Amino acid sequence: MTGRAGRTVKAGNQASAGDLLELVRSGRATTRGALQQATGLSRATVGQRLDRLFRAGWLREGAGGPVDSPLGGRPSITLEFDDAHAVVLAADLDTRHGRAAVLTLTGEILAEHTGVLVIDEGPETVLGELGRWFAELLEKAGHRAEEVCGIGLAVPGPVDTDTGRVVQPPIMPGWDGYDIRGRLGRAFAEHTGLRTAPGAGGGGAAQAGGARAAVPVLVDNDANLMAYGEQRTGYPDCSAFALVKVSTGIGAGMVVGGSIYRGVDGGAGDIGHIRVGAEALCRCGSYGCLAAVASGGAVARRLSEAGVPAASGSDVRDLLTSGHPEAMALAREAGRQVGDVLATVVTLLNPGVLMIAGDLAGTPFLTGVRELLYQRALPRSTAHLDVVTSRLGERAGLVGAGALVVEYLYAPERAEERLAALGV
């Protein structure tokens, strides 16, 4: 049986408490009777496994549902995922600034902070500062460090998700292979005064000596997490969703069948380094990359050469917001160059939604994308395609990072491990 994001939910006696939680969270079975029917478990077994979830604080009873029997009777009590038992921390790093937040388990932002955070200063400094932000945000949101079940981080580079380390990132000097998970976990503990023991349990599991299991830290590419956040909140029924982030660099995130598509080692979606035949030198060291001619950084460079002060994609965004004519013309031209590449992406992936996000995601750039995309792609590839801009805006990466943590921690097998660690 298939659950959220295509995951298989076990039936019969193999269905665990984690499987029941998955069915409730996905909305596929939200009453005891529905859980019995979906899994084939007896009423007593369903009750025992739900009791574990209630004792952990992960489920609550909601309002009565519709009466299932044609003979009438009392309405069934619905079951709901209780998002009040823990919170998630999330952060989204760009080249010159960062954004961090405290979120509920269902993605509501409780407290948020944006500030200068220069990626070139290196992971030790940047992640240490993030730890301080997290401590301040928890206090602002009225939550304790012990309530944090996990941390999600979006970074502007390719990530090996098994290790949480970035791999040869073109715009993150000094970060290649760095232990991001370990450093951010330590920074969080240092600034909150939280005692932790080694491990990735999280969620309040007690350890010997009064220490708590280390809070798990998940790291992924920023475009991936933006795509995940946007697809889950705005396009949950879209089975092939693509997002292109055009800021200082260019990257794409894809959600296929409800899950992030990363390729074999996290390198999928790195369209900024597709060669387009130009002679411009890219930050990766190669010539002719798309990012070297059509990113926010490339547009900023051309504006500076024309005497218009601009150092990054965010500066270009400000100029576009004010209606600067030269910035608008260059953004449209950049959109055409990106649209030319996206014609191939759309033909290959055949998405239902193509979302343009990032600093350049305004009318001039979008117009340029559409001009070349529809001109170069086969009509069959674009017949059912919606080309749109971001709904969540600058919060997309935060929402996606928070969702990544929740889906990891409450997946059936991981949920079983955490319930056992909690002693329920």
Side-chain angles (χ1 to χ4, degrees):
M1 140 182 346
T2 302
R4 184 190 301 264
R7 285 202 292 258
T8 298
V9 177
K10 297 172 184 175
N13 289 329
Q14 291 183 323
S16 65
D19 289 314
L20 300 191
L21 179 66
E22 176 75 8
L23 288 167
V24 173
R25 290 185 59 235
S26 66
R28 294 187 61 242
T30 58
T31 66
R32 288 169 173 81
L35 289 170
Q36 286 179 242
Q37 187 175 18
T39 62
L41 295 173
S42 69
R43 179 177 179 180
T45 303
V46 166
Q48 291 168 357
R49 292 178 184 174
L50 288 179
D51 183 60
R52 297 179 67 200
L53 299 172
F54 280 115
R55 283 188 285 143
W58 295 0
L59 280 188
R60 65 186 172 210
E61 291 187 340
V67 177
D68 295 329
S69 172
L71 300 177
R74 290 186 301 176
S76 301
I77 299 299
T78 60
L79 303 171
E80 301 174 348
F81 180 58
D82 189 343
D83 69 345
H85 69 271
V87 293
V88 174
L89 296 174
D92 185 7
L93 298 180
D94 210 327
T95 53
R96 296 165 60 88
H97 70 274
R99 184 178 294 265
V102 181
L103 299 92
T104 68
L105 299 180
T106 48
E108 178 188 354
I109 293 179
L110 302 175
E112 185 178 3
H113 174 74
T114 302
V116 175
L117 210 53
V118 181
I119 206 86
D120 285 3
E121 292 183 358
E124 191 75 20
T125 298
V126 170
L127 298 175
E129 183 69 358
L130 268 185
R132 185 178 69 81
W133 286 10
F134 284 151
E136 293 175 352
L137 284 168
L138 283 170
E139 184 176 355
K140 181 179 178 181
H143 285 275
R144 297 173 292 109
E146 290 78 7
E147 296 176 76
V148 175
C149 65
I151 299 172
L153 177 64
V155 297
V159 177
D160 180 343
T161 53
D162 289 338
T163 65
R165 299 172 188 251
V166 292
V167 182
Q168 299 177 359
I171 58 175
M172 299 178 69
W175 290 72
D176 186 19
Y178 185 85
D179 181 15
I180 295 175
R181 288 177 179 172
R183 175 65 180 116
L184 186 53
R186 291 193 301 273
F188 168 70
E190 290 163 4
H191 285 282
T192 59
L194 187 69
R195 290 188 60 204
T196 63
Q207 300 291 320
R212 178 185 187 271
V215 175
V217 177
L218 274 65
V219 186
D220 208 332
N221 172 262
D222 55 355
N224 283 348
L225 292 181
M226 290 173 68
Y228 197 46
E230 295 277 8
Q231 188 271 340
R232 285 174 57 87
T233 58
Y235 303 89
D237 297 326
C238 181
S239 61
F241 178 97
L243 177 144
V244 178
K245 179 187 179 184
V246 187
S247 291
T248 298
I250 300 176
M254 295 167 286
V255 181
V256 179
S259 299
I260 297 172
Y261 179 76
R262 301 183 176 91
V264 296
D265 61 4
D270 202 3
I271 66 170
H273 300 285
I274 291 175
R275 303 292 175 83
V276 294
E279 293 301 319
L281 176 64
C282 182
R283 291 185 65 170
C284 72
S286 298
Y287 286 89
C289 293
L290 180 65
V293 297
S295 66
V299 173
R301 184 180 65 252
R302 293 184 65 181
L303 287 169
S304 296
E305 291 169 353
V308 181
S312 67
S314 58
D315 292 335
V316 177
R317 179 192 60 207
D318 294 340
L319 290 168
L320 292 172
T321 301
S322 67
H324 191 282
E326 192 159 1
M328 294 175 71
L330 288 174
R332 182 167 179 171
E333 180 183 339
R336 289 172 57 85
Q337 291 167 313
V338 172
D340 196 10
V341 170
L342 289 180
T344 301
V345 173
V346 165
T347 300
L348 178 65
L349 183 61
N350 190 209
V353 175
L354 173 62
M355 178 174 285
I356 308 299
D359 293 328
L360 266 61
T363 300
F365 186 87
L366 190 63
T367 299
V369 166
R370 285 175 167 154
E371 285 175 357
L372 261 289
L373 172 61
Y374 287 105
Q375 177 184 327
R376 299 291 171 84
L378 291 172
R380 173 68 182 82
S381 301
T382 58
H384 302 288
L385 176 68
D386 289 331
V387 182
V388 300
T389 54
S390 172
R391 290 187 175 192
L392 296 175
E394 294 183 344
R395 288 180 164 180
L398 295 177
V399 173
L404 186 74
V405 170
V406 172
E407 290 304 315
Y408 168 78
L409 290 177
Y410 295 92
E413 291 185 4
R414 179 68 59 181
E416 279 297 309
E417 293 175 3
R418 297 177 64 222
L419 287 170
L422 289 169
V424 299

